[in-house]
Amino acid sequence: MALLPILCYPDPKLHTVAKPIAAVDTGIQTLVANMLETMYEAKGIGLAATQVGVHVRLIVMDISESRDAPLVLINPKLNWVSPETHLNEEGCLSVPGVYDGVTRHDAVKVEALDGQGRMQWVEADGLLAMCIQHEMDHLQGKVFVEYLSPLKRNRIKTKMLKAQREARD
Ligand code: NI
């Protein structure tokens, strides 16, 4: 297994739309294992393939306290969203140190392949529902800061670019 570098906002590659995965082969399974290792190492609860520069429809998540309940969604499709929505604070491994409010559906139903290529149906609410919506946005090339006002987004962009410059120097 290997840790993968996580793209940081405003890297333009984060706005790439991911393609469906044709077959869950050993290459995809290796990517899943590496993404899980990367997510756990970064202490995140979700990671989309887009964030490691691989533009395929694959998400890994783990919202458990014990960090031992990985959920893998391949080619996820939203089948239902609750009419009820909620404003919650979100963060993202691609926008380190930034947390802000995003309105999401309270509950979702999603179908996807699992890490072995089997079809699974997931009903989620609370944190998991939020996480699924956040990660599925990544697959569409959308980062959560795009829900914020242009003023806030520009401030975040400036802050990120400054931090990235300082990290290089
Ligand atoms: Ni994210």
Side-chain angles (χ1 to χ4, degrees), residues 130-146:
M130 181 183 107
C131 191
I132 288 172
Q133 291 168 82
H134 175 114
E135 300 308 331
M136 285 186 72
D137 272 355
H138 275 302
L139 301 181
Q140 294 299 329
K142 188 163 187 177
V143 181
F144 85 100
V145 298
E146 288 168 70

mmCIF file of all heavy atoms in Angstrom, residues 130-146:
data_model
loop_
_atom_site.group_PDB
_atom_site.id
_atom_site.type_symbol
_atom_site.label_atom_id
_atom_site.label_comp_id
_atom_site.label_asym_id
_atom_site.label_seq_id
_atom_site.Cartn_x
_atom_site.Cartn_y
_atom_site.Cartn_z
ATOM 1 N N MET A 130 -24.225 13.612 4.723
ATOM 2 C CA MET A 130 -23.466 14.814 4.372
ATOM 3 C C MET A 130 -22.185 14.444 3.637
ATOM 4 O O MET A 130 -21.849 15.008 2.598
ATOM 5 C CB MET A 130 -23.133 15.563 5.674
ATOM 6 C CG MET A 130 -22.376 16.832 5.494
ATOM 7 S SD MET A 130 -21.993 17.538 7.129
ATOM 8 C CE MET A 130 -20.257 17.210 7.204
ATOM 9 N N CYS A 131 -21.518 13.436 4.170
ATOM 10 C CA CYS A 131 -20.239 13.004 3.600
ATOM 11 C C CYS A 131 -20.433 12.469 2.170
ATOM 12 O O CYS A 131 -19.671 12.813 1.260
ATOM 13 C CB CYS A 131 -19.642 11.929 4.518
ATOM 14 S SG CYS A 131 -17.949 11.525 4.133
ATOM 15 N N ILE A 132 -21.474 11.664 1.962
ATOM 16 C CA ILE A 132 -21.740 11.115 0.626
ATOM 17 C C ILE A 132 -21.967 12.260 -0.371
ATOM 18 O O ILE A 132 -21.410 12.259 -1.475
ATOM 19 C CB ILE A 132 -22.951 10.150 0.656
ATOM 20 C CG1 ILE A 132 -22.570 8.839 1.364
ATOM 21 C CG2 ILE A 132 -23.455 9.866 -0.759
ATOM 22 C CD1 ILE A 132 -23.752 7.894 1.616
ATOM 23 N N GLN A 133 -22.767 13.258 0.025
ATOM 24 C CA GLN A 133 -23.047 14.375 -0.886
ATOM 25 C C GLN A 133 -21.776 15.182 -1.179
ATOM 26 O O GLN A 133 -21.530 15.591 -2.321
ATOM 27 C CB GLN A 133 -24.141 15.271 -0.294
ATOM 28 C CG GLN A 133 -25.509 14.583 -0.262
ATOM 29 C CD GLN A 133 -26.511 15.349 0.587
ATOM 30 O OE1 GLN A 133 -27.111 16.306 0.120
ATOM 31 N NE2 GLN A 133 -26.696 14.934 1.833
ATOM 32 N N HIS A 134 -20.964 15.385 -0.149
ATOM 33 C CA HIS A 134 -19.706 16.125 -0.309
ATOM 34 C C HIS A 134 -18.774 15.380 -1.273
ATOM 35 O O HIS A 134 -18.212 15.979 -2.207
ATOM 36 C CB HIS A 134 -19.047 16.286 1.073
ATOM 37 C CG HIS A 134 -17.700 16.924 1.067
ATOM 38 N ND1 HIS A 134 -17.459 18.165 1.641
ATOM 39 C CD2 HIS A 134 -16.499 16.505 0.576
ATOM 40 C CE1 HIS A 134 -16.175 18.468 1.482
ATOM 41 N NE2 HIS A 134 -15.574 17.479 0.844
ATOM 42 N N GLU A 135 -18.631 14.056 -1.062
ATOM 43 C CA GLU A 135 -17.702 13.281 -1.897
ATOM 44 C C GLU A 135 -18.230 13.130 -3.324
ATOM 45 O O GLU A 135 -17.447 13.154 -4.278
ATOM 46 C CB GLU A 135 -17.442 11.903 -1.274
ATOM 47 C CG GLU A 135 -16.838 11.924 0.123
ATOM 48 C CD GLU A 135 -15.600 12.780 0.260
ATOM 49 O OE1 GLU A 135 -14.854 12.957 -0.724
ATOM 50 O OE2 GLU A 135 -15.383 13.314 1.364
ATOM 51 N N MET A 136 -19.555 12.979 -3.475
ATOM 52 C CA MET A 136 -20.101 12.868 -4.836
ATOM 53 C C MET A 136 -19.921 14.174 -5.598
ATOM 54 O O MET A 136 -19.735 14.156 -6.815
ATOM 55 C CB MET A 136 -21.567 12.409 -4.801
ATOM 56 C CG MET A 136 -21.669 10.914 -4.487
ATOM 57 S SD MET A 136 -23.346 10.261 -4.589
ATOM 58 C CE MET A 136 -23.622 10.280 -6.377
ATOM 59 N N ASP A 137 -19.956 15.296 -4.898
ATOM 60 C CA ASP A 137 -19.642 16.579 -5.537
ATOM 61 C C ASP A 137 -18.227 16.568 -6.121
ATOM 62 O O ASP A 137 -17.999 17.057 -7.222
ATOM 63 C CB ASP A 137 -19.725 17.722 -4.519
ATOM 64 C CG ASP A 137 -21.126 18.308 -4.398
ATOM 65 O OD1 ASP A 137 -22.025 17.909 -5.161
ATOM 66 O OD2 ASP A 137 -21.312 19.186 -3.513
ATOM 67 N N HIS A 138 -17.269 16.009 -5.358
ATOM 68 C CA HIS A 138 -15.886 15.947 -5.857
ATOM 69 C C HIS A 138 -15.836 15.244 -7.224
ATOM 70 O O HIS A 138 -15.089 15.643 -8.116
ATOM 71 C CB HIS A 138 -14.994 15.169 -4.887
ATOM 72 C CG HIS A 138 -14.446 15.995 -3.755
ATOM 73 N ND1 HIS A 138 -13.682 17.129 -3.960
ATOM 74 C CD2 HIS A 138 -14.511 15.827 -2.411
ATOM 75 C CE1 HIS A 138 -13.324 17.622 -2.770
ATOM 76 N NE2 HIS A 138 -13.821 16.866 -1.813
ATOM 77 N N LEU A 139 -16.635 14.175 -7.368
ATOM 78 C CA LEU A 139 -16.619 13.420 -8.631
ATOM 79 C C LEU A 139 -17.161 14.252 -9.792
ATOM 80 O O LEU A 139 -16.880 13.969 -10.959
ATOM 81 C CB LEU A 139 -17.425 12.117 -8.490
ATOM 82 C CG LEU A 139 -16.953 11.142 -7.401
ATOM 83 C CD1 LEU A 139 -17.821 9.898 -7.399
ATOM 84 C CD2 LEU A 139 -15.481 10.760 -7.592
ATOM 85 N N GLN A 140 -17.956 15.282 -9.450
ATOM 86 C CA GLN A 140 -18.458 16.206 -10.480
ATOM 87 C C GLN A 140 -17.527 17.410 -10.636
ATOM 88 O O GLN A 140 -17.870 18.376 -11.324
ATOM 89 C CB GLN A 140 -19.852 16.722 -10.097
ATOM 90 C CG GLN A 140 -20.938 15.645 -10.080
ATOM 91 C CD GLN A 140 -21.135 14.995 -11.428
ATOM 92 O OE1 GLN A 140 -20.948 15.621 -12.468
ATOM 93 N NE2 GLN A 140 -21.486 13.719 -11.431
ATOM 94 N N GLY A 141 -16.396 17.374 -9.955
ATOM 95 C CA GLY A 141 -15.449 18.484 -10.051
ATOM 96 C C GLY A 141 -15.809 19.663 -9.170
ATOM 97 O O GLY A 141 -15.353 20.787 -9.409
ATOM 98 N N LYS A 142 -16.620 19.408 -8.148
ATOM 99 C CA LYS A 142 -17.076 20.500 -7.295
ATOM 100 C C LYS A 142 -16.491 20.397 -5.881
ATOM 101 O O LYS A 142 -16.597 19.354 -5.237
ATOM 102 C CB LYS A 142 -18.613 20.495 -7.226
ATOM 103 C CG LYS A 142 -19.184 21.707 -6.528
ATOM 104 C CD LYS A 142 -20.658 21.868 -6.859
ATOM 105 C CE LYS A 142 -21.186 23.170 -6.289
ATOM 106 N NZ LYS A 142 -22.571 23.416 -6.640
ATOM 107 N N VAL A 143 -15.886 21.470 -5.422
ATOM 108 C CA VAL A 143 -15.308 21.547 -4.074
ATOM 109 C C VAL A 143 -16.287 22.350 -3.203
ATOM 110 O O VAL A 143 -16.928 23.282 -3.697
ATOM 111 C CB VAL A 143 -13.920 22.225 -4.130
ATOM 112 C CG1 VAL A 143 -13.280 22.301 -2.747
ATOM 113 C CG2 VAL A 143 -13.004 21.475 -5.096
ATOM 114 N N PHE A 144 -16.399 22.005 -1.910
ATOM 115 C CA PHE A 144 -17.462 22.599 -1.069
ATOM 116 C C PHE A 144 -17.382 24.123 -0.987
ATOM 117 O O PHE A 144 -18.399 24.784 -0.791
ATOM 118 C CB PHE A 144 -17.503 21.964 0.328
ATOM 119 C CG PHE A 144 -16.559 22.548 1.347
ATOM 120 C CD1 PHE A 144 -17.012 23.451 2.296
ATOM 121 C CD2 PHE A 144 -15.220 22.200 1.354
ATOM 122 C CE1 PHE A 144 -16.146 23.994 3.245
ATOM 123 C CE2 PHE A 144 -14.348 22.735 2.295
ATOM 124 C CZ PHE A 144 -14.803 23.640 3.237
ATOM 125 N N VAL A 145 -16.189 24.688 -1.158
ATOM 126 C CA VAL A 145 -16.079 26.147 -1.072
ATOM 127 C C VAL A 145 -16.863 26.850 -2.184
ATOM 128 O O VAL A 145 -17.155 28.044 -2.080
ATOM 129 C CB VAL A 145 -14.604 26.622 -1.093
ATOM 130 C CG1 VAL A 145 -13.843 26.081 0.115
ATOM 131 C CG2 VAL A 145 -13.907 26.222 -2.375
ATOM 132 N N GLU A 146 -17.225 26.097 -3.224
ATOM 133 C CA GLU A 146 -18.013 26.694 -4.309
ATOM 134 C C GLU A 146 -19.452 27.009 -3.891
ATOM 135 O O GLU A 146 -20.171 27.697 -4.609
ATOM 136 C CB GLU A 146 -17.982 25.785 -5.541
ATOM 137 C CG GLU A 146 -16.600 25.820 -6.199
ATOM 138 C CD GLU A 146 -16.414 24.736 -7.232
ATOM 139 O OE1 GLU A 146 -17.037 24.822 -8.285
ATOM 140 O OE2 GLU A 146 -15.651 23.789 -6.961
#
